[in-house]
Amino acid sequence: MDQAFITMPKGFKANGVCADLKGNGALDVGLVVSDVPANIAGVYTSNLVKGHSLTRSIKVINKGGKVRAMIVNAKNANAGVGPVGEEDAQKVAEAVASELGVTADEVITASTGVIGIRLPYEKIVAKVPELVSGLSSSEEAGHKSELAMMTTDTQPKEVAATITLKNGTEVTIAAMAKGSGMIHPNLATMISEFTTDADIAPELLHKMLKEAVSHTFNRVTVDGDTSVCDMVVIMANGVSGAVIEEGTEDAALFQEAFTSLALDLSKMIASDGEGATKFVEIEVFGARDEYDAYLIVSSIAKSPLCKTAIYGMDANWGRIATAAGYSGAKFDPNNLSISLCGVQMCKDGVSLEFSEEEMAELLKAHDINVKVELKEGDAYDRMFTCDYSHDYITINGSYRS
Amino acid sequence: MDQAFITMPKGFKANGVCADLKGNGALDVGLVVSDVPANIAGVYTSNLVKGHSLTRSIKVINKGGKVRAMIVNAKNANAGVGPVGEEDAQKVAEAVASELGVTADEVITASTGVIGIRLPYEKIVAKVPELVSGLSSSEEAGHKSELAMMTTDTQPKEVAATITLKNGTEVTIAAMAKGSGMIHPNLATMISEFTTDADIAPELLHKMLKEAVSHTFNRVTVDGDTSVCDMVVIMANGVSGAVIEEGTEDAALFQEAFTSLALDLSKMIASDGEGATKFVEIEVFGARDEYDAYLIVSSIAKSPLCKTAIYGMDANWGRIATAAGYSGAKFDPNNLSISLCGVQMCKDGVSLEFSEEEMAELLKAHDINVKVELKEGDAYDRMFTCDYSHDYITINGSYRS
């Protein structure tokens, strides 16, 4: 869907304003609000060190009540500043709650950016009236809330889908995300918000969210670094009138659409990884078990040597074999086969002849596929990443400034 | 020692020749020979995928006999080409053996370079007579054997030490190594050769080698990638007349010198990592146990975000906290303290004020120290690495060409 935006489901409004956090006049505080109390589910970074806006939100979500709003700021992670960090996040939540006429426990907070500098919460609080008064369900307002949470992203990441339930009711799901560095799986990999106008009970919503992220957001890596602020949340407000119950055909339909949107966002995040010039899909077939399959795709996806070779458009399959070999997975190297962009480079551990000219041409493509085949079992996994370019170094050599 | 070279211990000769493997007229085949049969011990890459010259050498060393020579070629890894790979390595060993008048089982083979292209063994075999006839114990010949195995190294890495045993006998140990990419611990991290004129039984030699590498070569990372060809070997020929026995003061003295040389080479390898502009030492204090200490130093040392920040001379301690947090080690983030170049950035999980000007000045230094302190126990570990620069990307985007 070309013109997707977060407020497409019924009963959601959004806005984005500039609170002068980025310092360049760009939008940097975004808000998404449900007209009525919405069920919420979230998954969070597995990093031991967690940002304070996030730890506050986890506490709020764990209380189990419904929520009305989620506010996100860019440029400052509100992390590593001690107990004052949660207090600052609470002040932001209170300002939003007061302006909306709800309680602070109905407001989720998220922050992304630099660690270790106190959140300039006064700047945000001062902009809350403008943020709330501009709330709208328009496409423009939806896009503004996405733009406001982008950091090094070069492209907005917004998706949506409408499904028709068995009884004919239409349900819409929309989502947006920000990348694009410090990204690695086994966590919710970045900040992403989903909205839906279906009514889904919190337990089912959480179950569906975990299923949706497991082979999507949890299979994206940009640099193997796991941020302290990452979360994926979904707000379900029921305004469509549709109630989705566990174990029904409707639930299966919803899950399919949900997972598919998560997959689309995941690919967008990988493709827009910091400094990326390529989107890379890595697949492993025939691994001994699921864990070994994961070890192999993740080892290749993280390998700086594989990622720089792809940047350099070099058919260096030996680095792929090397990364598989040190992944910790068990396999017989004499049964290892590797294909790059559909061309088999190595079969049963032995290199094959290939045309350097043909490979150079194929490797010019933006989308690169790496296939690894073993003969240990039938486990499969897949991961998405990008290449490592000179720009990755430039972007990350001076991120704080 | 400024003028160290591999033939400093008594009874060793070396040489290096150009077999046109590198294609630029540089030396690319090196040989080290002991005048008499020497005991040998080796440690090898933990990668499942192993190069064929290496697998052949492992078999030869595991037979337990003494050896006379080690031949190393650069530019071609002799890996991923199937059974013919070991046959090619054997042909090289036989050519050396024939020229020296010894058996092929007395010749260790090692290769480093590109994976998946058959070893041009005829080129090497054709040069063996020149290689052997030029053998010498001279400083120049020693240096040539080091230059011949360098790939992307910018500096030769040669060290030596002489110790005096209790009975007054002098024993010399010399060593050389090549780096400088695809380097990560839990393996022998690169190719390194040690020689000594002490007589040390194979079991003790192996034990000493394992001890020497454990906190030196096994604590260097350049890019987290683990090569398929790595090995560290020591040849002990006994020509000094000194016999070193297990459990003696002499053994302790030898171990100390041995480990110290391994440490020096390890620092040289990190410092000369591909594209490196900085040498980085990462220390953790107060971890729960040794394994957690290792997880933390290795997570920071591998983090592309930490490494690019150091390249950019950016006091971004938040990335260090982040890498510690996702390392898998267990600790309370509220007890986490971090120092960079001797300046404390974060104490008990809370950021401290610091002068950006002072940090910018300190981070201009070539040697950068990162200290992480926890309050979980008393385990300590240390790792050596380098920064990630634009040149790392340039070097690795086009390594095969």
Side-chain angles (χ1 to χ4, degrees), chain A residues 12 36-40 66 165 169-172 196-202 204-205 208 235-246 250 254:
Chain A
F12 284 98
V36 298
N39 286 325
I40 186 157
K66 299 199 175 201
L165 302 186
T169 317
E170 285 202 333
V171 162
T172 301
T196 180
D197 46 22
D199 181 0
I200 305 176
L204 178 57
L205 198 62
M208 285 180 152
M235 289 193 274
N237 70 4
V239 171
S240 67
V243 181
I244 294 179
E245 306 274 5
E246 188 154 11
D250 285 345
F254 188 92

Side-chain angles (χ1 to χ4, degrees), chain A residues 225 303 314 326 390 394 400, chain B residues 225 303 314 326 390 394 400:
Chain A
D225 277 275
S303 158
D314 183 9
Y326 68 69
H390 289 99
T394 303
R400 292 190 318 139
Chain B
D225 278 275
S303 159
D314 183 8
Y326 68 70
H390 289 99
T394 304
R400 292 190 318 139

Side-chain angles (χ1 to χ4, degrees), chain A residues 397-398 400, chain B residues 277-281 306-317 320 338-343 345 354-371 387:
Chain A
S398 59
R400 292 190 318 139
Chain B
T277 72
K278 306 279 185 191
F279 168 76
V280 185
E281 178 187 54
C306 293
K307 290 157 80 84
T308 48
I310 289 170
Y311 171 60
M313 296 177 268
D314 183 8
N316 199 333
W317 67 267
I320 298 166
I338 294 171
S339 299
L340 192 56
C341 301
V343 178
M345 308 261 99
F354 63 89
S355 150
E356 290 280 358
E357 293 69 35
E358 184 199 3
M359 287 314 298
E361 202 54 46
L362 288 171
L363 285 162
K364 284 183 187 160
H366 178 265
D367 292 1
I368 303 295
N369 177 272
V370 173
K371 272 194 183 61
D387 56 343

Side-chain angles (χ1 to χ4, degrees), chain B residues 203-204 207-208 244-248 251:
Chain B
E203 300 72 32
L204 178 57
K207 204 166 159 179
M208 284 180 154
I244 294 180
E245 306 274 6
E246 188 156 10
T248 59

Side-chain angles (χ1 to χ4, degrees), chain A residues 46-49 80-83 115-117 182 223-228 274 302-305 308-309 311-319 321-323 325-326 329-331 333 336 349-351 354 356 388-390 392-394 396-400, chain B residues 46-49 80-83 115-117 182 223-228 274 302-305 308-309 311-319 321-323 325-326 329-331 333 336 349-351 354 356 388-390 392-394 396-400:
Chain A
S46 58
N47 201 310
L48 274 187
V49 180
V81 302
I115 295 170
I117 296 172
M182 236 192 220
D223 46 22
D225 277 275
T226 299
S227 144
V228 302
E274 286 174 346
K302 271 166 41 175
S303 158
L305 290 175
T308 48
Y311 172 60
M313 296 177 268
D314 183 9
N316 199 331
W317 67 267
R319 291 186 180 171
T322 298
Y326 68 69
K330 291 209 172 56
F331 64 90
L336 173 69
V350 180
S351 60
F354 64 88
E356 290 280 358
Y388 266 163
S389 72
H390 289 99
Y392 179 85
I393 304 290
T394 303
N396 284 299
S398 59
Y399 176 69
R400 292 190 318 139
Chain B
S46 58
N47 200 311
L48 274 187
V49 179
V81 301
I115 294 171
I117 296 173
M182 236 191 219
D223 46 21
D225 278 275
T226 301
S227 146
V228 303
E274 287 175 345
K302 270 168 41 175
S303 159
L305 290 175
T308 48
Y311 171 60
M313 296 177 268
D314 183 8
N316 199 333
W317 67 267
R319 292 186 178 169
T322 299
Y326 68 70
K330 291 209 173 54
F331 64 88
L336 172 69
V350 179
S351 61
F354 63 89
E356 290 280 358
Y388 266 162
S389 71
H390 289 99
Y392 179 85
I393 305 290
T394 304
N396 285 299
S398 59
Y399 177 66
R400 292 190 318 139

